[in-house]
Amino acid sequence: MSHTVRTRPDGSERALSEAYDTALLDLDGVVYFAGGDAIAHAADSLATARAGGMHLAYVTNNALRPPDAVAGHLTELGIPTEASDVITSAQAVARLISEQVPAGARILVIGGEGLRVALRERGLEPVDSADDEPVAVVQGYGGPDLTWSRFAEASYAIARGLPWFASNTDLTIPGARGIAPGNGAAVQVVRIATGAEPQVAGKPLPPMHRETILRTGAERPLVVGDRLDTDIEGAFNGEVDSLLVLTGVTDGAQLLAAPPQHRPTYVDADLRGMLTGQPEVVEAGEGFRCGGWTATAGAEHLELTGEGEALDGLRALCAAAWTSAGEGTCALDGGKALARLGL
């Protein structure tokens, strides 16, 4: 949390939407809720960022829906989006496969329409059976109705020596009724059956970041997400800055305990944080100060003094916790300090 956004000529802090040319936005927990409804302030914040010249790209590990379907959903929510603005793990894994198999090759698909569209875009032919002479297997989230026989089909093909690819390995996926098994859980089924390991493309791994940069042409990208282990780690692996928003799965305690690869450059309540500069966190004696708050690392607890905006207190706590932890995970109890901030 020590990054400072460059200033305008008048000395004031630049908004993130001015300091970066492209926002690489996660969807679930950032732009919309698991049930599909837009998160408060998302549409207006994105419209303002776009009007100011920032390119908006929507980056998702969910390989089920093709880009035009995702773009249509966002447009219905009041966020005008073209299919070319959407980058999926299906596209990333299709490129990865295309670099290793002949043009026009048959690929056994265990998943949904998003994978099929992405494979065809790369000149590959999706097939449904291990007996259709595929040269590789690709597995992606296929929705709740994906049958057990599909996992068996993948296992037959992999047992014959075919290379295996996975769009992503997220163990869970949020839904309107709660948390459900994700593609990573399905991958684990095939892994147990075959003893094989897939090549994985999705966040936080480099193929997904590469696909995003290739498709957007971003020169100064800012990753915006709600998950430490996919969005923020993906930014870390891609060596780009990141903004964590607190509208999704990450809470204050998880943030304070984050290891280096899960530590965002910035943190804010929601997407309105793209439209402002981030306050500086500075060393203050043995602790760190942000706004009206000062955080220090005690013997057993993180300690917080002062008053002001809750997010400034969280930013100060992050600096104290992460400095104390170094390259590890902070073991100090931050519960009391977080409770004081209402987080």
Side-chain angles (χ1 to χ4, degrees):
M1 299 303 300
S2 60
H3 195 290
T4 301
V5 179
R6 295 185 296 275
T7 58
R8 298 184 178 93
D10 64 4
S12 61
E13 292 177 342
R14 298 176 69 188
L16 298 184
S17 58
E18 296 176 353
Y20 299 91
D21 68 342
T22 306
L24 308 180
L25 295 128
D26 184 44
L27 291 172
D28 286 327
V30 176
V31 179
Y32 51 64
F33 293 110
D37 294 332
I39 289 173
H41 311 295
D44 290 344
S45 297
L46 293 172
T48 300
R50 186 190 306 109
M54 189 180 214
H55 179 205
L56 306 179
Y58 303 93
V59 185
T60 176
N61 259 2
N62 192 326
L64 178 60
R65 295 188 296 172
D68 59 350
V70 176
H73 178 204
L74 289 169
T75 300
E76 290 175 357
L77 296 177
I79 304 168
T81 305
E82 300 293 332
S84 59
D85 297 325
V86 179
I87 298 94
T88 72
S89 63
Q91 293 172 323
V93 77
R95 187 185 297 271
L96 188 64
I97 295 169
S98 71
E99 294 170 342
Q100 300 180 42
V101 304
R106 294 182 174 188
I107 310 298
L108 175 60
V109 175
I110 312 300
E113 184 62 16
L115 278 176
R116 296 175 183 275
V117 170
L119 288 169
R120 293 189 189 104
E121 182 186 38
R122 301 248 69 89
L124 302 171
E125 181 182 349
V127 298
D128 294 318
S129 171
D131 297 330
D132 288 335
E133 299 183 349
V135 302
V137 180
V138 63
Q139 187 171 0
Y141 183 66
D145 298 324
L146 193 66
T147 63
W148 200 260
S149 64
R150 302 308 298 152
F151 305 144
E153 207 65 38
S155 299
Y156 302 149
I158 294 166
R160 297 173 187 174
L162 269 63
W164 176 29
F165 297 83
S167 63
N168 67 299
T169 51
D170 296 16
L171 291 174
T172 61
I173 188 167
R177 298 175 59 195
I179 300 299
N183 191 55
V187 166
Q188 184 67 6
V189 171
V190 178
R191 182 185 282 120
I192 291 169
T194 64
E197 287 293 330
Q199 295 184 51
V200 183
K203 295 183 287 186
L205 297 174
M208 187 67 169
H209 182 74
R210 180 182 62 152
E211 187 71 20
T212 302
I213 298 303
L214 286 172
R215 287 181 179 270
T216 63
E219 296 182 356
R220 301 185 312 281
L222 176 70
V223 170
V224 185
D226 71 309
R227 296 183 68 112
L228 301 179
D229 59 349
T230 54
D231 305 317
I232 305 307
E233 185 175 341
F236 177 88
N237 290 337
E239 299 182 339
V240 299
D241 290 344
S242 60
L243 166 65
L244 178 80
V245 291
L246 301 177
T247 46
V249 300
T250 300
D251 61 24
Q254 293 168 327
L255 185 57
L256 296 183
Q261 69 271 24
H262 291 173
R263 297 171 186 171
T265 314
Y266 313 106
V267 61
D268 221 306
D270 51 53
L271 288 178
R272 289 176 294 179
M274 293 172 57
L275 308 179
T276 63
Q278 292 274 305
E280 188 176 9
V281 181
V282 298
E283 291 189 37
E286 297 182 354
F288 293 87
R289 184 177 68 251
C290 183
W293 298 98
T294 299
T296 56
E300 298 181 358
H301 304 274
L302 292 170
E303 300 171 358
L304 188 67
T305 58
E307 60 182 15
E309 296 290 334
L311 279 168
D312 288 344
L314 179 60
R315 294 171 181 125
L317 283 170
C318 285
W322 298 345
T323 300
S324 172
E327 295 301 305
T329 298
C330 182
L332 299 175
D333 182 6
K336 186 175 180 180
L338 289 171
R340 185 176 178 190
L341 298 172
L343 298 172

